[in-house]
Amino acid sequence: MGPVRTKKTRPDASVSVAGPSKLRQEGTSGSKTKARRPKPAQDSRGTPGLQKIKSSLRQTRRLLAKDNIAADVRVETERRLKALEADLAAAERGKKERALAVRYHKVKFFERQKVLRKLNQTKRQISESDTPELQSTLQGLRVDLNYILHYPKTKKYISLFPPELRKGESQDVEVDAGREEVRAWIRTQMDSGELRAEPELHLDSKGITAEWGEEQRTPEKTAGLASSAMDVDHDAFFGEDS
């Protein structure tokens, strides 16, 4: 009997065998489409987001509008409504503070550098010849430094060195009044001990003040830090000091 030929079975055209290169392509293509991360329900301060609070407020008010609601449920819902309204006010205040902080970050930075440089120059002059005029100038510069560091977070920042002042032009009376009002509040806070009398001694390398609960730095420890922060040779934003 002769040899029996076996029929070769060809693979189905509809079934494709994926080679290593194709597998690599499929693996990489999946990594290109990243799944969207859900938006956090709370901000960095732990306060729920505005949209979530507003949605909860609408639901709570709709529940209170019903006539057949039980007395105990109504009392609990009214408490929840007050808490949500407080959360909404806090979230809106935080949003406004963050927006103003971003808007005025640059101008505050340059003004802080200018005040620190003037403060450092005044201290050098006092070390050579202490006079009441220099002491008054030093105190005014410390008020200005606290003005920049602790300006009310929900108010539009009023510059200490606006272009009109630098050019010797007349300024808006209301703007001047607003600046002096904040200055007066800063002086009151410093006199009562709410703000530091020597804020330049409590700045870190980024110009941020340390909190009251931290260990107080001695002048010896902060001398190098204050000098490095205050020694700015050229002020491209405000020009040279007179």
Side-chain angles (χ1 to χ4, degrees):
M1 184 177 177
V4 180
R5 294 184 177 180
T6 58
K7 186 178 180 180
K8 295 182 180 180
T9 58
R10 298 178 62 186
D12 192 355
S14 62
V15 179
S16 59
V17 180
S21 60
K22 187 171 183 180
L23 289 175
R24 285 195 297 270
Q25 291 177 1
E26 290 178 355
T28 55
S29 62
S31 61
K32 291 180 181 178
T33 57
K34 296 181 179 179
R36 293 184 178 180
R37 295 181 179 180
K39 294 182 179 180
Q42 296 183 346
D43 61 12
S44 58
R45 299 184 181 183
T47 306
L50 278 172
Q51 296 304 322
K52 184 177 181 180
I53 297 175
K54 290 179 179 179
S55 176
S56 299
L57 272 172
R58 288 193 296 269
Q59 295 175 5
T60 304
R61 286 167 179 161
R62 282 197 295 266
L63 180 59
L64 285 174
K66 295 181 179 179
D67 297 330
N68 58 347
I69 184 174
D72 57 340
V73 176
R74 180 174 293 277
V75 171
E76 184 64 28
T77 307
E78 288 175 348
R79 291 177 181 172
R80 175 174 171 77
L81 179 64
K82 291 181 180 179
L84 287 171
E85 289 174 344
D87 287 344
L88 180 62
E92 290 177 338
R93 183 172 60 252
K95 182 180 179 180
K96 184 177 181 180
E97 289 178 1
R98 290 190 294 274
L100 292 176
V102 171
R103 181 186 303 176
Y104 298 112
H105 173 76
K106 185 176 181 180
V107 66
K108 282 185 176 182
F109 170 78
F110 283 115
E111 292 197 350
R112 185 174 68 244
Q113 293 295 89
K114 186 176 184 72
V115 170
L116 284 171
R117 184 176 62 192
K118 285 174 174 276
L119 203 152
N120 195 38
Q121 292 171 352
T122 304
K123 281 187 171 182
R124 292 196 190 108
Q125 293 173 0
I126 290 175
S127 65
E128 296 173 359
S129 175
D130 192 357
T131 63
E133 291 77 11
L134 287 175
Q135 287 292 342
S136 178
T137 300
L138 179 63
Q139 180 61 21
L141 289 169
R142 283 170 171 164
V143 171
D144 286 348
L145 182 56
N146 272 326
Y147 177 101
I148 299 167
L149 296 173
H150 302 287
Y151 192 90
K153 295 180 180 180
T154 56
K155 289 174 64 72
K156 292 183 178 180
Y157 185 72
I158 302 176
S159 173
L160 288 171
F161 311 103
E164 298 82 6
L165 182 62
R166 300 199 301 271
K167 295 177 183 178
E169 301 175 358
S170 60
Q171 302 177 71
D172 188 276
V173 177
E174 292 184 3
V175 174
D176 285 344
R179 185 186 301 109
E180 292 307 314
E181 181 182 355
V182 177
R183 265 199 181 115
W185 174 75
I186 291 293
R187 291 190 190 97
T188 303
Q189 295 291 96
M190 292 173 69
D191 292 340
S192 64
E194 294 294 325
L195 294 178
R196 291 186 172 93
E198 298 179 353
E200 74 277 9
L201 299 181
H202 303 276
L203 294 175
D204 61 14
S205 58
K206 296 182 179 180
I208 302 173
T209 54
E211 297 296 333
W212 276 112
E214 299 179 3
E215 181 182 359
Q216 299 298 314
R217 297 171 178 161
T218 62
E220 292 78 9
K221 290 182 180 180
T222 57
L225 177 59
S227 299
S228 62
M230 289 185 274
D231 287 336
V232 183
D233 295 332
H234 178 67
D235 193 339
F237 188 77
F238 295 109
E240 297 298 332
D241 295 329
S242 57

